[in-house]
Amino acid sequence: MNIISLSCANIEHEHICCSLSDKKGKYGVKSKKEWLQKRFSEGLVFKKFDVKGKAFIEYIPAEKAWCPVNADGYIFINCLWVSGQYKGKGLGGRLLDECINDAEDKNGIIVVSSKQKKPWLAERKFFLHKGFEVCDSAPPYYELLCLKFDENAVELKFKECAKSLEIPLKEGIVIYYSHQCPFCENYINDIEETAKEVNIPITIKRYESAEEAQDAPCASTTFSVFYKSKFVTHEILTRDKCKKLVL
């Protein structure tokens, strides 16, 4: 199977893999593609197999990563996802090899995972098997995994803001998110309506730049939920999950 690299020249007629099987997700594709187009000039790479399915990798220089990390000179993997009929065929390894080849002149590669397997985060077991090591952690369960090419390179770590889990707003639901994921935007309206139904204040904050995301109060900037100032989850909330959170 061939690997395709997305660019400003072909992104309009190429799919972005992750939202193919979710009709609702298609409404967020436009925002995701616009986000990608702005990142290409910053060095973002999106490679996928030429199939109609989830088999892709997305990465960017860590200096431009939408994540609170100190990792100058590294490549940051936003997402590596292989699923469905394509899983278990070595495609994830081939995609990672693409990233490794592109990072030859870098200090290494990093990715955010978790101590226990969780949705929407990199699969820890896969990356450890590929030679990555845990180089830092942040509450409540995040881990920064790294594949170092230069042992004398800058120390890798999450920024202190990601370890604080502190936000200025103390009441109601507070959600931080970005257009890195095409699914998020589609659920925001549902969550806002649900909060109003149960009479709970809600604040929505969308990251508009890497600089903002690098000052995030937790390691996940794709989507994170706080309730009464306490971190709850990085997983996207449905109406039912939102009600369970506050009732």
Side-chain angles (χ1 to χ4, degrees), residues 63 70-75 105-110 135 146-157:
E63 294 86 349
N70 287 317
D72 289 356
Y74 285 80
I75 290 292
D105 61 342
K106 299 292 184 178
N107 294 329
I109 301 169
I110 59 174
C135 57
C146 65
L147 181 65
K148 285 188 176 181
F149 302 154
D150 181 358
E151 291 299 325
N152 297 316
V154 63
E155 181 183 1
L156 293 164
K157 58 183 179 179

XYZ file of all heavy atoms in Angstrom, residues 63 70-75 105-110 135 146-157:
202
model
N 8.711 22.394 18.946
C 8.605 23.822 19.238
C 7.252 24.383 18.812
O 6.793 25.398 19.349
C 9.716 24.595 18.515
C 11.128 24.288 19.003
C 11.734 23.070 18.320
O 11.002 22.332 17.613
O 12.947 22.850 18.500
N 8.534 20.865 27.104
C 9.843 21.450 26.806
C 10.636 20.392 26.071
O 11.093 19.408 26.667
C 10.567 21.844 28.100
C 9.965 23.074 28.748
O 9.647 24.047 28.073
N 9.807 23.051 30.065
N 10.779 20.546 24.765
C 11.408 19.500 23.959
C 11.993 20.076 22.676
O 11.762 19.564 21.585
C 10.405 18.403 23.643
N 12.755 21.142 22.801
C 13.347 21.757 21.620
C 14.212 20.754 20.861
O 14.985 19.999 21.460
C 14.201 22.961 22.014
C 13.363 24.140 22.480
O 12.119 24.031 22.423
O 13.942 25.149 22.913
N 14.072 20.748 19.552
C 14.875 19.866 18.724
C 14.285 18.492 18.505
O 14.909 17.650 17.847
N 13.084 18.272 19.030
C 12.420 16.970 18.880
C 11.245 17.069 17.910
O 10.775 18.162 17.581
C 11.913 16.460 20.231
C 13.013 15.932 21.125
C 13.813 16.794 21.856
C 13.250 14.563 21.232
C 14.829 16.320 22.666
C 14.262 14.069 22.044
C 15.050 14.952 22.756
O 16.058 14.481 23.549
N 10.772 15.915 17.482
C 9.536 15.808 16.723
C 8.446 15.314 17.671
O 8.666 14.378 18.444
C 9.678 14.819 15.545
C 10.602 15.395 14.480
C 8.313 14.486 14.947
C 10.051 16.602 13.745
N 17.676 14.426 11.538
C 18.497 15.546 11.992
C 17.999 16.145 13.302
O 18.456 17.222 13.713
C 18.558 16.622 10.920
C 17.179 17.201 10.596
O 16.165 16.553 10.940
O 17.115 18.293 10.009
N 17.086 15.440 13.977
C 16.515 15.927 15.229
C 17.127 15.203 16.421
O 17.875 14.237 16.279
C 14.998 15.736 15.226
C 14.265 16.481 14.120
C 14.330 17.977 14.333
C 13.506 18.717 13.288
N 13.524 20.194 13.507
N 16.767 15.674 17.621
C 17.239 15.022 18.845
C 16.490 13.738 19.149
O 16.960 12.910 19.934
C 17.097 15.971 20.036
C 18.013 17.172 19.925
O 19.092 17.088 19.355
N 17.582 18.309 20.461
N 15.306 13.602 18.551
C 14.502 12.418 18.805
C 13.036 12.690 18.559
O 12.664 13.696 17.933
N 12.201 11.795 19.070
C 10.753 11.858 18.856
C 10.049 11.686 20.194
O 10.480 10.878 21.028
C 10.295 10.744 17.892
C 11.021 10.879 16.549
C 8.786 10.782 17.681
C 10.821 9.677 15.644
N 8.956 12.416 20.398
C 8.194 12.294 21.640
C 6.713 12.126 21.327
O 6.235 12.511 20.251
C 8.389 13.512 22.570
C 7.964 14.805 21.861
C 9.818 13.594 23.047
C 7.993 16.021 22.781
N 9.988 9.488 29.849
C 10.946 10.515 30.264
C 10.347 11.535 31.231
O 11.092 12.307 31.849
C 11.540 11.219 29.050
S 10.345 11.979 27.944
N 9.653 9.033 24.902
C 10.644 9.594 23.992
C 11.513 8.508 23.366
O 11.782 7.456 23.969
C 11.528 10.599 24.713
S 12.551 9.876 26.018
N 11.914 8.770 22.151
C 12.906 7.969 21.446
C 14.058 8.921 21.162
O 13.977 9.760 20.269
C 12.326 7.400 20.153
C 13.267 6.513 19.320
C 13.617 5.233 20.083
C 12.633 6.174 17.972
N 15.119 8.822 21.940
C 16.223 9.773 21.833
C 17.243 9.320 20.790
O 17.638 8.166 20.746
C 16.914 9.923 23.189
C 16.150 10.744 24.207
C 17.003 11.004 25.437
C 16.291 11.897 26.429
N 17.139 12.177 27.623
N 17.675 10.283 19.974
C 18.764 10.045 19.048
C 20.067 10.623 19.584
O 21.149 10.223 19.161
C 18.460 10.681 17.684
C 17.199 10.181 17.046
C 16.507 10.971 16.140
C 16.687 8.923 17.342
C 15.335 10.512 15.540
C 15.516 8.453 16.754
C 14.843 9.268 15.856
N 19.954 11.574 20.495
C 21.114 12.244 21.079
C 20.957 12.238 22.591
O 20.117 12.953 23.140
C 21.215 13.675 20.551
C 22.429 14.426 21.100
O 23.167 13.843 21.926
O 22.624 15.586 20.710
N 21.730 11.433 23.279
C 21.617 11.313 24.737
C 22.002 12.592 25.465
O 21.676 12.778 26.634
C 22.484 10.150 25.240
C 21.972 8.782 24.824
C 20.571 8.495 25.357
O 20.263 8.930 26.482
O 19.788 7.855 24.630
N 22.707 13.482 24.793
C 23.128 14.742 25.420
C 22.177 15.892 25.117
O 22.464 17.040 25.454
C 24.535 15.113 24.946
C 25.575 14.081 25.355
O 25.577 13.608 26.494
N 26.453 13.716 24.427
N 21.056 15.577 24.479
C 20.101 16.616 24.095
C 19.390 17.184 25.321
O 19.508 16.660 26.440
C 19.080 16.045 23.118
N 18.641 18.242 25.100
C 17.919 18.934 26.164
C 17.026 17.960 26.944
O 16.482 17.001 26.379
C 17.064 20.068 25.565
C 16.006 19.512 24.614
C 16.409 20.911 26.639
N 16.897 18.210 28.239
C 16.045 17.378 29.079
C 14.591 17.509 28.639
O 14.088 18.605 28.392
C 16.168 17.808 30.543
C 15.336 16.974 31.494
C 15.421 17.466 32.934
O 16.111 18.466 33.170
O 14.786 16.844 33.795
N 13.938 16.368 28.532
C 12.542 16.342 28.084
C 11.604 16.351 29.273
O 11.768 15.563 30.203
C 12.291 15.081 27.254
C 13.014 14.996 25.915
C 12.992 13.570 25.405
C 12.378 15.920 24.912
N 10.593 17.202 29.223
C 9.637 17.214 30.325
C 8.379 17.994 29.948
O 8.376 18.811 29.026
C 10.264 17.837 31.570
C 10.774 19.250 31.379
C 11.447 19.754 32.656
C 11.984 21.182 32.451
N 12.626 21.691 33.694
